[in-house]
Amino acid sequence: MLASRVFSLVGRRSISTSLCLRAHGHAGVVKAEDYSLSGYVDRRDVPLPEVAFVRDLSAQQKALKEKEKASWSALSVDEKVELYRIKFNETYAEMNKGTNEWKTILGGVLFFLGVTGLILIWQKQFMYGAIPHTFSEEWLSAQTKRMLDMRVNPVEGISAQWDFDKNEWKK
Amino acid sequence: MRRLLARRMKFHLLGAFLVSVGCATLYKFGVAEPRKRAYAEFYKSYDPMKDFQAMKAAGVLECAPPK
């Protein structure tokens, strides 16, 4: 913002993007935005990400990095762990750990299935008209009798379940 | 990480083979064989003329009405 106010004193040019603001503030070099740089990613199949996890090291971490340049047997276990945590966010064990997300998903799915069921009940009760007369008891029994007379599906189907000698369903 | 793809591929190839062969076997012995036996049983003692007379008597044959 200060850069733009200085500029408005010099000339009446309107500056639209913050990028341009910073460009004119730092002697013509545009600072790279975060999204245009390589990122850190925790993935099973990317063992060594493009950048280290911690970008801006504290003084203590900088000292540790200097110590890393010497012999590694001089580092204690805690220092090695600290160096690991600078470079990586999670260990493979932490990264691959399962979550309890499946319970939420299953619960949500069943809940919405239940809601759908309620909607269907409401529809049957209040929306749909009468079913066709061909679903009445008399029609259905006459229909079944005709199917048996025609010997429909005599091997494995309905006529196989009927005892034609005793005139009843097979036990 | 070492040989990650190879390990995964071996596991899944074996699994896919076993699952598909298992499905085929289950179908053969759960569906196909009983069906073949049912048909054999049915046609062992099947009398088509008796069946025809029964259907004729019941009145379902348009060109052969019960007389």
Side-chain angles (χ1 to χ4, degrees):
Chain A
M1 276 313 289
L2 280 171
S4 76
R5 301 197 83 215
V6 164
F7 212 87
S8 67
L9 286 172
V10 174
R12 294 206 161 256
R13 296 272 175 92
S14 61
I15 298 165
S16 44
T17 67
S18 59
L19 238 83
C20 288
L21 270 175
R22 279 199 286 200
H24 290 280
H26 290 102
V29 176
V30 179
K31 182 178 175 296
E33 289 291 316
D34 276 346
Y35 50 75
S36 63
L37 297 169
S38 312
Y40 176 83
V41 59
D42 267 326
R43 278 186 59 139
R44 231 177 105 203
D45 46 359
V46 179
L48 293 172
E50 313 270 319
V51 293
F53 177 57
V54 178
R55 200 166 46 162
D56 308 308
L57 301 169
S58 71
Q60 204 183 357
Q61 286 170 327
K62 281 197 182 120
L64 189 55
K65 277 290 192 188
E66 286 300 318
K67 198 172 170 199
E68 195 193 10
K69 291 178 184 169
S71 167
W72 285 344
S73 46
L75 295 167
S76 74
V77 172
D78 289 325
E79 285 172 333
K80 286 177 189 168
V81 171
E82 177 62 27
L83 282 168
Y84 181 90
R85 289 292 172 186
I86 290 173
K87 197 133 200 235
F88 301 103
N89 182 17
E90 288 178 314
T91 66
Y92 261 72
E94 288 165 6
M95 190 202 310
N96 292 337
K97 191 174 55 179
T99 62
N100 279 330
E101 193 188 4
W102 68 272
K103 294 178 191 168
T104 314
I105 293 173
L106 189 67
V109 165
L110 292 173
F111 174 76
F112 280 107
L113 280 175
V115 168
T116 309
L118 287 174
I119 293 175
L120 292 175
I121 290 169
W122 180 90
Q123 282 181 328
K124 182 72 182 101
Q125 179 72 19
F126 293 109
M127 192 184 87
Y128 289 120
I131 57 172
H133 65 101
T134 52
F135 282 99
S136 68
E137 275 298 321
E138 309 86 50
W139 192 282
L140 282 177
S141 38
Q143 182 176 294
T144 318
K145 177 158 175 30
R146 189 173 152 80
M147 281 168 72
L148 293 170
D149 288 339
M150 287 196 285
R151 305 295 191 272
V152 168
N153 268 338
V155 183
E156 279 188 319
I158 189 166
S159 302
Q161 318 257 10
W162 180 260
D163 191 339
F164 284 98
D165 303 314
K166 287 192 223 142
N167 242 0
E168 59 184 9
W169 292 109
K170 283 185 188 167
K171 297 292 176 291
Chain B
M1 273 288 295
R2 201 159 283 191
R3 288 183 275 277
L4 183 66
L5 176 64
R7 209 164 17 104
R8 182 188 161 81
M9 194 175 270
K10 186 159 64 169
F11 176 75
H12 282 86
L13 276 172
L14 188 69
F17 178 76
L18 287 175
V19 165
S20 46
V21 167
C23 283
T25 328
L26 273 174
Y27 183 85
K28 183 177 169 68
F29 291 109
V31 178
E33 286 302 313
R35 193 170 283 172
K36 281 193 259 186
R37 261 183 277 124
Y39 272 81
E41 281 298 319
F42 177 78
Y43 282 110
K44 217 182 282 182
S45 55
Y46 180 58
D47 182 11
M49 287 318 293
K50 175 162 157 266
D51 228 33
F52 171 73
Q53 294 302 335
M55 281 198 256
K56 189 165 171 331
V60 290
L61 300 171
E62 197 179 312
C63 297
K67 197 58 65 80

